[in-house]
């Protein structure tokens, strides 16, 4: 007997594990194609390092791309981002970070921005509930700062998906693009996640995107938002205004 769901979808029905394997293979093929295309674009940029031969097998060990993105010209970056969904907006965001002066926010202004995040967060169906009214400000150089921060998570924790389940098919190009861009954007931000979350947020849910934008603005002004067991910690870096 023909499976009714197979007939409805017009294709064989697979179990979640097989579907996830198929998606992972598709993503791997996209990563390899984008890696080659980025190296081709870098080859035309006078500021790029020489092309490795052979190319690294994995994008997360391709140091020419990871550490060279922010050193290339804007035309090269534009060509690189044109490969992705939302590439024009992602390129604009990265160029804004690389060229715009960092803003200055007072502690009061930073807390107001946290309140704006709280106003939006429920629209994203987060994985956990946070008491956004409990905001504590600490200085990065405080004696117990390292210990306390080790007990926290970042904002992206609230939006992590179940990796054991297949992804929505329509989101696969964006998911693959985020995987590809993670290491270059992390390196461009000096080993911080806020830039990556904001830039790649252009491909996903608009409410999540708004939250990542606010978190990026905090970070760019010298404030880092962290989530302890309950409530919120705002970490004031050296350049942030008290």
């Amino acid at each position: 007997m023909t499976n009714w769901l197979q007939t409805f979808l017009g294709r064989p029905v697979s179990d979640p594990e097989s579907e996830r394997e198929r998606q992972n293979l598709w993503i791997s093929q996209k990563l390899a194609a984008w890696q080659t295309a980025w190296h081709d674009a870098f080859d035309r940029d006078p500021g790029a390092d020489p092309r490795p031969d052979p190319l690294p097998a994995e994008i997360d060990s391709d140091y020419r791309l990871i550490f060279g993105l922010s050193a290339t010209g804007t035309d090269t970056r534009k060509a690189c981002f044109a490969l992705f969904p939302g590439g024009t907006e992602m390129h604009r965001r990265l160029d804004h970070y690389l060229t715009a002066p960092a803003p200055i926010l007072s502690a009061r202004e930073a807390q107001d921005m946290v309140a704006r995040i709280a106003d939006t967060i429920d629209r994203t169906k987060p994985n956990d509930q946070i008491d956004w009214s409990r905001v504590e400000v600490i200085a990065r150089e405080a004696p117990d700062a390292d210990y306390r921060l080790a007990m926290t998570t970042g904002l992206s924790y609230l939006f992590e998906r179940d990796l054991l389940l297949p992804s929505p098919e329509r989101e696969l190009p964006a998911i693959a693009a985020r995987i590809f861009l993670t290491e270059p954007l992390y390196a461009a931000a000096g080993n911080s996640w806020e830039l990556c979350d904001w830039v790649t947020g252009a491909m996903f849910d608009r409410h999540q995107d708004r939250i990542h934008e606010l978190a990026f603005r905090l970070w760019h002004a010298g404030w880092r938002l962290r989530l302890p067991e309950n409530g919120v910690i705002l970490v004031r870096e050296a350049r942030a205004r008290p």
Side-chain angles (χ1 to χ4, degrees):
M1 180 180 294
T2 303
N3 185 294
W4 71 268
L5 185 57
Q6 176 177 334
T7 302
F8 177 75
L9 295 175
R11 60 181 174 82
V13 177
S14 60
D15 62 274
E17 183 175 355
S18 297
E19 185 69 4
R20 193 173 65 251
E21 290 176 356
R22 180 193 65 80
Q23 290 184 347
N24 288 342
L25 176 60
W26 184 89
I27 288 173
S28 296
Q29 292 169 342
K30 294 299 290 185
L31 298 183
W34 289 334
Q35 181 184 19
T36 300
W38 269 40
H39 277 289
D40 291 345
F42 274 43
D43 289 345
R44 299 187 290 271
D45 192 294
D49 290 336
R51 182 179 185 132
D53 185 20
L55 295 182
E58 302 292 340
I59 182 61
D60 59 4
S61 61
D62 194 333
Y63 301 122
R64 186 197 196 203
L65 302 187
I66 291 172
F67 298 109
L69 176 62
S70 58
T72 59
T74 186
D75 288 341
T76 299
R77 295 193 295 270
K78 183 177 181 180
C80 289
F81 277 88
L83 302 170
F84 308 123
T88 299
E89 175 61 13
M90 290 198 292
H91 171 251
R92 184 196 70 80
R93 294 181 185 192
L94 177 59
D95 266 24
H96 168 81
Y97 165 69
L98 293 175
T99 60
I104 298 176
L105 292 177
S106 68
R108 181 67 265 170
E109 291 169 325
Q111 291 178 69
D112 288 345
M113 203 164 286
V114 172
R116 293 165 67 183
I117 292 175
D119 289 340
T120 306
I121 196 75
D122 286 339
R123 303 176 195 174
T124 67
K125 299 180 181 179
N127 296 328
D128 200 358
Q129 294 298 315
I130 305 296
D131 184 353
W132 293 91
S133 66
R134 297 180 57 182
V135 181
E136 182 181 2
V137 177
I138 67 172
R140 185 64 185 85
E141 64 272 17
D144 62 343
D146 287 340
Y147 171 77
R148 297 191 62 189
L149 294 180
M151 308 299 290
T152 66
T153 61
L155 191 63
S156 293
Y157 152 75
L158 297 177
F159 312 122
E160 291 177 351
R161 62 183 182 86
D162 188 345
L163 297 179
L164 297 179
L165 296 176
S167 302
E169 199 73 17
R170 67 182 181 279
E171 293 184 11
L172 270 188
I175 291 171
R178 179 178 169 83
I179 292 171
F180 186 92
L181 290 168
T182 293
E183 290 295 336
L185 292 175
Y186 180 74
N191 299 341
S192 294
W193 294 110
E194 287 81 359
L195 175 65
C196 179
D197 289 339
W198 178 52
V199 170
T200 61
M203 299 185 288
F204 295 100
D205 175 85
R206 64 186 179 90
H207 297 303
Q208 286 188 28
D209 185 27
R210 178 58 174 160
I211 289 168
H212 286 313
E213 178 195 358
L214 292 169
F216 165 79
R217 289 170 59 186
L218 281 169
W219 170 79
H220 201 202
W223 295 93
R224 192 179 297 268
L225 189 156
R226 301 294 300 177
L227 303 178
E229 186 173 347
N230 196 18
V232 177
I233 289 178
L234 271 177
V235 186
R236 185 178 66 239
E237 305 286 353
R239 71 178 188 275
R241 195 168 71 195

